[in-house]
Amino acid sequence: MNVWSYVSGLNLVTVLIALVFGISVLQGLLRGATSSAKRLALMVTEGAATLLGLFLSWELTEWASPQVQLWLASRTLSIPPAELGFWEQLYYTGVTGLRDFSLLRFALLFVIDYGLIKQLLYRLIDPFVDSWLSEPAPPGRQRTAPSFLSSLVGGVIGAVTGAGRSLLMIALLFILTTLLPQTPMTSYIGASELYRKGATEVIRPVTGDFIEQRLPVFTRQVEEEFASILQRKYEVVDAHIPGNIADAAKEITAKGRNDEEKAKLLYQWVGTRVKYDWEKVRLYEEQRIWKEQTPEETFATKAGVCIDFSRLYAVMARSIGLDVKVVTGLGYDGRGGYGPHAWNEVYLAEDQKWVPLDSTWVASGGNWFNPPNFQETHIKEV
C-alpha cells in the first residue's frame, strides 16, 4: 500500500524526463563506446544542421518576404464583384492574405525555405554520416557484445545524450507553460522538481527574456492576424454585390453627408428591417442544423442571426464605398455570460479610424454604433 501510494504520488512529468534519461543511458550501455559516440555525434550533427537550417531560412525569409509582398501588390489584385466558385474563393483568400498579412506570408515562406535548405544540408551530410555510422561485421564473424569498459564508457556517453534529450523536452514544456500560464496543466508541470531545475538553471538563463516575454507577444500577434484571415473569407464569399442590394444601400444613405452618417443610416436600416431568426437558433441548438444563408437571402427574407445581419451590413456598406469588416467573437448574453456573436467595424475616412457597430442589437434598444462601452459587451475573437 505504501509503495502504491508512493508511485501514485509521482509527478508524470518527472517520470517522463527520468525515463528519457534512463533509456538513453541503457542504450549507451548496450551499444558500447564506439556506437554510442557515433550516435551522440549524429545527434549533435543533426542538431547543428537544424540550427543552421533555421538560421539560413530566417535570413532568406526576411529578405524574400518584402519582395513577395511588393510583387503581389504590383499585381493590383482585387476580388472581382461576381459570384465565385470554391476554388476561386480559396485562391483570392490565399493570395490577398499573403499580400496583406505579414506573419502569414513570413510563416509560409519560412516553412518553404526551411524545407528546401534542410533537404540540401542533409543531402550534403548524409553520405558522410551513413558511411561513418555503418558498422559491418567482419566476414564470417557475428557482432559481439561490447566489453565491460566499452559499456561503461557507452553508458557515460548515453548519459550525455540523455541529458540533451531531457533538456530538449524541458525546453518544449517551458514554451508550453509560457504560452498557457493560467492552466491546471501548467501548474502540474511546474510541480515537477526535475522540470523546475532544468528550466531554472538551464533554459531560462540560455533563452533570456525571449521565451517568457517576447514569445507570448508574438503568439498574440499571430492569433490576431489569424482572426483577421478568418474574417477575410467574408470579403471573398460576399464579394458579389447584387444590384437590388446596391440600389437599396444607395437610396438609404442618400442623405448621408459623410462616412459616419452613411454608416449610421445603414446600421439603423439593417437593425430595424431584419428580424432575429429564433427558429434558426433553435434548429442549431437542438438539432445542430445550421442554415447558411447569403446576404441576398437575408435581404430578401428580412430574417437572420447575428452573422447574417453583419454580412448584409458589410455588403451594403461596401456597395457605397465604405471599408467594412465582419467581426466574430463573444457577445454579452444579458445573463452574466457571453456567447458566440458577430458584428461589424466600419472605417470612417474623415476621422481616420475604425469604429464598431452591432446592427443585431438595435432591436434590443440603446445605441450600438460606436458606444463608449462597446468593448465591455463585445469581445473580439483572437
Side-chain angles (χ1 to χ4, degrees):
M1 184 65 180
N2 291 334
V3 174
W4 172 248
S5 298
Y6 172 76
V7 172
S8 61
L10 288 175
N11 185 287
L12 289 179
V13 174
T14 299
V15 173
L16 287 174
I17 295 173
L19 274 176
V20 168
F21 180 80
I23 290 173
S24 298
V25 173
L26 180 61
Q27 288 176 333
L29 291 170
L30 295 175
R31 288 171 177 163
T34 302
S35 181
S36 296
K38 289 183 177 182
R39 297 287 174 178
L40 176 60
L42 175 62
M43 187 179 76
V44 172
T45 302
E46 289 181 341
T50 299
L51 290 175
L52 179 60
L54 290 171
F55 172 76
L56 293 176
S57 301
W58 187 276
E59 293 295 317
L60 178 59
T61 304
E62 280 198 323
W63 171 83
S65 182
Q67 308 303 320
V68 171
Q69 195 277 333
L70 289 173
W71 180 77
L72 289 173
S74 69
R75 309 290 292 180
T76 60
L77 182 70
S78 59
I79 303 169
E83 292 191 38
L84 304 177
F86 172 78
W87 293 109
E88 290 175 310
Q89 292 177 12
L90 188 64
Y91 168 76
Y92 283 107
T93 302
V95 173
T96 57
L98 287 175
R99 180 193 63 195
D100 299 336
F101 299 113
S102 58
L103 292 178
L104 171 66
R105 183 173 61 253
F106 190 94
L108 181 61
L109 290 174
F110 181 81
V111 169
I112 294 173
D113 292 341
Y114 179 68
L116 294 174
I117 290 174
K118 190 173 182 180
Q119 285 297 318
L120 177 61
L121 290 174
Y122 272 61
R123 283 183 178 275
L124 292 174
I125 66 174
D126 273 353
F128 301 100
V129 172
D130 290 342
S131 62
W132 188 51
L133 283 179
S134 60
E135 299 178 4
R141 292 178 56 186
Q142 295 182 343
R143 295 180 186 273
T144 58
S147 65
F148 174 77
L149 181 60
S150 178
S151 291
L152 188 62
V153 175
V156 173
I157 296 173
V160 175
T161 304
R165 290 171 175 168
S166 298
L167 285 174
L168 177 60
M169 181 179 176
I170 291 171
L172 294 174
L173 291 173
F174 186 72
I175 292 172
L176 181 64
T177 56
T178 301
L179 295 177
L180 303 171
Q182 306 297 328
T183 61
M185 176 184 61
T186 295
S187 300
Y188 185 79
I189 293 172
S192 166
E193 182 67 29
L194 278 179
Y195 166 77
R196 289 202 307 272
K197 193 172 184 64
T200 303
E201 297 183 8
V202 181
I203 306 302
R204 188 174 285 118
V206 169
T207 59
D209 67 347
F210 177 78
I211 291 180
E212 289 189 291
Q213 295 183 23
R214 299 184 187 180
L215 188 59
V217 174
F218 176 74
T219 303
R220 284 194 294 272
Q221 291 174 339
V222 171
E223 290 174 344
E224 290 172 1
E225 186 163 293
F226 183 70
S228 298
I229 293 169
L230 291 179
Q231 291 161 13
R232 171 65 58 87
K233 69 181 181 182
Y234 294 114
E235 297 178 26
V236 177
V237 172
D238 299 333
H240 173 61
I241 302 175
N244 57 338
I245 293 181
D247 292 341
K250 184 177 180 181
E251 182 180 346
I252 293 164
T253 59
K255 295 182 179 179
R257 294 168 296 180
N258 53 42
D259 287 351
E260 183 173 10
E261 290 185 3
K262 292 177 181 179
K264 280 184 177 179
L265 288 168
L266 286 178
Y267 153 81
Q268 287 289 346
W269 189 91
V270 173
T272 55
R273 297 302 193 282
V274 181
K275 304 302 179 185
Y276 199 81
D277 192 346
W278 291 104
E279 178 63 17
K280 182 174 180 176
V281 175
R282 187 190 66 79
L283 281 173
Y284 179 71
E285 290 181 345
E286 295 180 2
Q287 303 179 37
R288 285 295 182 257
I289 298 174
W290 175 252
K291 178 189 172 187
E292 189 72 35
Q293 64 189 63
T294 65
E296 192 169 11
E297 290 173 319
T298 306
F299 182 78
T301 62
K302 300 296 187 295
V305 295
C306 56
I307 188 63
D308 305 316
F309 279 71
S310 302
R311 289 174 65 183
L312 175 59
Y313 181 91
V315 168
M316 298 183 81
R318 278 199 293 270
S319 74
I320 59 169
L322 294 177
D323 287 333
V324 65
K325 300 176 184 177
V326 174
V327 182
T328 55
L330 299 175
Y332 185 66
D333 62 8
R335 301 187 298 272
Y338 289 81
H341 193 47
W343 59 95
N344 296 99
E345 287 182 356
V346 64
Y347 186 74
L348 305 181
E350 58 270 15
D351 298 327
Q352 296 186 338
K353 66 178 182 180
W354 289 89
V355 299
L357 62 104
D358 190 343
S359 57
T360 309
W361 285 11
V362 170
S364 65
N367 170 38
W368 296 106
F369 187 96
N370 193 28
N373 62 336
F374 194 89
Q375 71 279 0
E376 296 176 8
T377 54
H378 296 71
I379 302 173
K380 273 189 178 184
E381 186 176 54
V382 295

